[in-house]
Amino acid sequence: MQVTGRYPYESGRDYALRIIKKNIINLELEPKSRVNDRALAEELGLSRTPVREALIELSKSDVVQIYPQSGSIIAPIDYDIMEEAHTMREILECAVVEMCCKVESIDELGALEENLRLQEFYLEHRTADKLMDLDNEFHKLLFTVAKMSHVHSLMENITIHFDRVRYLSYQAVKDVTSVGGHRKILDAVVQHDAPRAVDEMRKHLNNYQVEREELMERYPRYFA
């Protein structure tokens, strides 16, 4: 498991939640694997209580399955749940890029451009962790431009199901199209072309369907 340092003033529960969630997304905690709150607590340098609380919180999103007598299991990737996450994300993100197109001057434009240049660099060098972090930051910046940052935070609670497949795509799919999709979205936003921005966002978010068969064939043990 990848463990990074605890932020100042971060509670034990929030720290455990952040680290466990990150390791579920990057598949260090593999789908269908068993996890033990005592072992996790030792690895994180925490008592078992905040770790249990984090696992309970993750179980609300159905990404962890808790069995009181035998511990917890990381849920397999379930495309039915992913469809729910995808539907919510498509509705919200298409609305967000439409709002972005109405903003006269985008203060975050430089940050978005720099983010895309880094995505292109790490795509060439196929660094899945960096690409995933930059992908997340790109979408978060769009929510910031639209002044919808709180909505983005709420959306993250369910998109963990979507995020595991995104990580697999960066790791395994030869022809990754997401970076090019981001460029098309940003070009449309800069030109204040709302219909094109919405169309490009919708295409971008539906890429996972194209990659579904390849991923299920390569990683059958991960899927429900």
Side-chain angles (χ1 to χ4, degrees):
M1 190 166 79
Q2 295 178 9
V3 179
T4 55
R6 187 167 165 179
Y7 297 145
Y9 310 112
E10 187 174 33
S11 70
R13 177 234 182 234
D14 289 346
Y15 175 57
L17 181 61
R18 177 170 63 84
I19 298 299
I20 294 169
K21 182 177 178 181
K22 177 72 172 177
N23 280 274
I24 289 173
I25 291 170
N26 68 17
L27 305 169
E28 289 288 330
L29 293 174
E30 292 190 357
K32 303 183 183 179
S33 66
R34 190 174 297 277
V35 292
N36 179 278
D37 57 8
R38 186 189 299 276
L40 287 172
E42 288 178 2
E43 195 159 359
L44 293 170
L46 298 169
S47 68
R48 293 172 70 183
T49 298
V51 172
R52 285 198 197 110
E53 290 173 347
L55 291 173
I56 289 169
E57 185 64 29
L58 288 164
S59 74
K60 294 176 183 177
S61 300
D62 294 321
V63 77
V64 170
Q65 299 165 344
I66 298 176
Y67 300 96
Q69 303 305 318
S70 55
S72 302
I73 293 174
I74 305 302
I77 297 171
D78 186 329
Y79 265 98
D80 288 338
I81 298 176
M82 272 193 61
E83 285 295 339
E84 293 184 43
H86 168 263
T87 299
M88 182 186 71
R89 190 170 176 189
E90 183 174 309
I91 291 168
L92 290 173
E93 299 221 31
C94 286
V96 160
V97 290
E98 188 170 12
M99 292 177 195
C100 289
C101 290
K102 296 175 182 176
V103 176
E104 290 297 327
S105 177
I106 300 173
D107 294 336
E108 294 81 5
L109 185 58
L112 283 160
E113 286 287 355
E114 176 64 18
N115 177 287
L116 270 174
R117 284 195 291 271
L118 287 170
Q119 285 187 52
E120 289 159 358
F121 173 83
Y122 285 113
L123 178 62
E124 184 179 346
H125 294 81
R126 284 315 277 257
T127 310
D129 287 331
K130 287 287 189 181
L131 279 168
M132 189 73 175
D133 289 343
L134 289 163
D135 188 332
N136 291 336
E137 182 63 23
F138 179 84
H139 287 269
K140 186 176 181 179
L141 280 166
L142 291 175
F143 275 79
T144 301
V145 172
K147 301 190 185 307
M148 299 285 281
S149 296
H150 288 94
V151 173
H152 181 270
S153 298
L154 293 171
M155 186 181 73
E156 287 183 308
N157 291 332
I158 192 171
T159 56
I160 186 171
H161 296 278
F162 206 75
D163 291 342
R164 288 193 291 180
V165 171
R166 289 169 56 222
Y167 187 85
L168 268 183
S169 295
Y170 278 132
Q171 203 169 43
V173 175
K174 186 175 292 185
D175 184 22
V176 174
T177 60
S178 60
V179 177
H182 290 155
R183 172 59 66 188
K184 291 176 182 177
I185 291 165
L186 183 57
D187 286 348
V189 168
V190 170
Q191 293 169 25
H192 304 288
D193 188 341
R196 184 158 65 92
V198 170
D199 184 55
E200 293 296 347
M201 178 62 80
R202 187 169 286 115
K203 289 177 186 175
H204 171 65
L205 294 176
N206 277 283
N207 281 339
Y208 80 100
Q209 290 285 20
V210 177
E211 299 161 352
R212 175 176 179 169
E213 188 174 328
E214 180 178 350
L215 292 175
M216 292 184 76
E217 185 177 333
R218 291 189 63 171
Y219 301 98
R221 68 188 187 278
Y222 288 166
F223 292 87

